[in-house]
Structures are given as C-alpha cells and as structure tokens.
Amino acid sequence: MQRLNYHHLHYFWAVAKDGNLTRAATRLHVSQSALSVQIRQLEEQLGQALFERRGRTLQLTEAGRLAMSYAESIFAAGGEMVALLREGRRENRQVLRIGAVSTLSRNFQENFVRPLLEREDVELVLQSGALADLLGRLRVHTLDVILSNRRVHGTSDDPWRCRRIARQPVSLVGRPRPKRRAFRFPEELAEVPLLLPGPDHDIRAGFDLMCEQRGIRYRLRAEVDDMAMLRLLARDSDSVALLPTVVVQDELRAGRLVEYAVVPELSETFYAITVQRHFEPPLLKELLKRPEADVLGVAVT
C-alpha cells in the first residue's frame, strides 16, 4: 500500500483551514503554484478531488471534509507527541470552536458553554458573526458548531445538520409595576411603549401578525436587532420589551425586571448547526445531550 505523504497532507490542512490558497501560501512561505502542485499530488494519491472552486474561494468536497477530519486528528496527535517527548508533559487540553449569530442572546450562549467553563482541560474559542459568514467557517472546519435562532437546511453541496437544542416562549417584560398592578394582556399593548426585535426577526413577524389579527395598534419605542442591546434598554427604560426570558434572566432573578405576560403561540427556537463529518468532538456531544431546561438556565418564578 502506498504510504501517505504527510507533507502534502499538512499543506492541504493549511489551505482547508484558511479557505484561500494565496493566503495559505503566504503563511507557509511557499509559492502559490508550488502549493497547488502539492495538493494536486495528494488528490492523485487519494484518488479524490479535495477542493472545488466557487468564485474566488476554495470549498471542501465531501472527500475533502472527510480528509480534513482525519488531518485535524493527525496534527493534534502530532502536537501532543512533541509536547510529551520534548517537554515531558502530555497535552490533554481539548479545543472546542463555537460560532454564534451576532444577535443571539449572550445569556443563552453562556448557558450553553457553562459546563466547560470550570474545566482546566478545555479551551473554548467563541466567535460571533453573520450566519452566512459562520457557515463558511464551519464548511472548512474552522468552527465545530454554530449557535443560531434560525434553521438552515442541508443540501448535497452543504450537508448541514441543524438540530433544535432549546425552545422558549416569548414574553413581555418590564420594570416592576407600582402597587403590583397586573399587566392587562393584550389590552395594554396599545398603551405602553414597546421595545421590539427588528423587522427581520421571526419573533417580530409573529408578534406583528398577532397584533394585526387582534386589531391592536401598538406604540413602538424602538426596534433592536441585537438582544444584548434589547436587554439594556429593557433594564434602563420604562418601556416594555418583547423577548425570550433567557435574555434577561439575571434581571428577572434580581427583581429589576418582571415578566408581565407570556405571548400565546410565540416562541424562539435555538439551534446547533454542525456539518457532516467523520469525527464529532466529544465535548460537543456532551453539550448537545443536555436537557433544554439546563441550556435555558434555571427557571425564574
């Protein structure tokens, strides 16, 4: 059996991680043409195309994604071997790379990774961005998972795996009311200033549809795409905010905000998006097995 050329594999691994042949060649201090030749020789040895060009970018084929999962394990093991033999220590740290849609609740993200925060053997890499950008990083295995509140559907070209990890009803929250006066839902929606997610958010679309069906014309104080900003405005203004309670879990526990009403038939769903691969990180498997209540945090009463 022909032996694998690990030099060629390293070059493939570097290009796959970067997603760009020119940048990878610069980082490796080789010419772009030489790098292309090395990868072509690896493809000939394996009998499979590892990349396909789409516009100006290189994307992994199905065979390339499989080769990348093996390459990640091989070079991680190589680093561990060097640490053990040269320095007399075994590198047991595991790395988990998580991307999150930039508008996603920071509390939800923290709840998701909380089991790993106290572990000395774990290194977390947390990145945020637009969903399309994060999917590009997931495709070339520079991310292990994406947290999103929007479902994606896999295709033969993009074999995404999208699983629901939590769902929470959407509520109206605001500062404690004088004399514990109860919020009258839905009558008071037309009377109080509202803080709402932006018009592209699924929560906003559902809320607008409900108000239209009930003939309610509400008072909009602000529309906010970012949940972290929506949290601050709910805390620091006299307005009523529409959001999942996980966003303001700390304020609810401290009594700075209270839940006025749960909006019927309106919820936010949180997804974990991965890509089909030969090897799924054990740390990720642990996180994805957790019950929804754990991911959403302790319920507030």
Side-chain angles (χ1 to χ4, degrees):
M1 181 180 295
Q2 189 178 9
R3 295 179 60 184
L4 179 65
N5 187 315
Y6 290 97
H7 189 67
H8 293 170
L9 184 67
H10 181 262
Y11 278 175
F12 156 75
W13 176 71
V15 174
K17 286 179 72 69
D18 197 290
N20 183 282
L21 191 68
T22 303
R23 288 197 302 266
T26 301
R27 186 157 49 85
L28 293 168
H29 305 292
V30 298
S31 69
Q32 184 173 333
S33 59
L35 188 56
S36 297
V37 169
Q38 300 273 358
I39 292 174
R40 194 176 308 119
Q41 290 174 347
L42 178 62
E43 290 177 324
E44 291 172 357
Q45 182 182 12
L46 298 177
Q48 299 281 348
L50 301 176
F51 291 104
E52 59 183 358
R53 184 172 291 279
R54 293 186 183 178
R56 296 184 178 182
T57 63
L58 289 175
Q59 296 188 1
L60 290 168
T61 62
E62 182 178 355
R65 289 190 290 269
L66 181 60
M68 183 62 176
S69 68
Y70 278 102
E72 291 276 24
S73 300
I74 287 169
F75 292 120
E80 181 177 319
M81 181 191 71
V82 171
L84 178 62
L85 297 180
R86 178 178 293 175
E87 303 173 23
R89 63 178 178 85
R90 185 178 182 87
E91 182 58 71
N92 290 320
R93 289 176 66 81
Q94 303 176 68
V95 179
L96 187 64
R97 300 158 299 179
I98 300 174
V101 175
S102 56
T103 56
L104 198 66
S105 163
R106 304 300 191 268
N107 282 340
F108 174 79
Q109 297 177 46
E110 183 180 16
N111 289 345
F112 183 76
V113 302
R114 181 169 284 115
L116 305 180
L117 293 178
E118 302 301 323
R119 290 182 52 171
E120 295 293 334
D121 63 332
V122 172
E123 177 183 335
L124 288 174
V125 178
L126 305 175
Q127 302 178 6
S128 63
L131 181 57
D133 293 337
L134 295 174
L135 289 171
R137 298 178 213 172
L138 182 65
R139 181 183 289 112
V140 296
H141 298 276
T142 58
L143 288 176
D144 297 307
V145 64
I146 297 170
L147 302 179
S148 173
N149 53 4
R150 183 164 297 178
R151 174 183 287 277
V152 298
H153 298 280
T155 66
S156 57
D157 292 331
D158 295 314
W160 313 129
R161 288 180 173 175
C162 187
R163 67 190 91 182
R164 191 187 95 181
I165 51 177
R167 174 179 290 166
Q168 184 174 54
V170 173
S171 299
L172 293 163
V173 303
R175 289 178 173 177
R177 312 195 92 192
K179 300 181 181 179
R180 298 185 178 273
R181 183 168 58 88
F183 185 85
R184 294 176 293 108
F185 177 86
E187 292 80 10
E188 274 192 75
L189 286 177
E191 302 171 13
V192 297
L194 294 179
L195 304 171
L196 301 179
D200 294 332
H201 201 292
D202 290 342
I203 290 177
R204 174 68 178 278
F207 181 76
D208 283 348
L209 178 61
M210 182 203 71
C211 290
E212 180 181 340
Q213 291 172 341
R214 294 175 182 243
I216 298 171
R217 298 184 64 181
Y218 56 76
R219 294 169 52 197
L220 179 64
R221 171 67 56 82
E223 56 183 25
V224 186
D225 284 331
D226 183 65
M227 284 292 167
M229 179 57 70
L230 193 57
R231 171 189 181 184
L232 291 177
L233 293 179
R235 187 187 69 190
D236 298 334
S237 74
D238 60 352
S239 302
V240 177
L242 177 77
L243 39 71
T245 55
V246 67
V247 176
V248 290
Q249 63 183 21
D250 298 331
E251 288 78 9
L252 291 173
R253 289 174 184 145
R256 298 184 66 178
L257 293 173
V258 295
E259 184 179 52
Y260 289 173
V262 176
V263 181
E265 300 181 3
L266 195 58
S267 63
E268 178 157 49
T269 304
F270 301 95
Y271 299 98
I273 305 169
T274 56
V275 67
Q276 292 181 16
R277 57 191 298 179
H278 179 74
F279 172 76
E280 185 171 70
L283 291 174
L284 182 56
K285 289 183 179 180
E286 292 178 25
L287 293 178
L288 294 178
K289 286 180 180 178
R290 298 168 63 212
E292 288 191 12
D294 288 350
V295 179
L296 290 172
V298 179
V300 178
T301 59

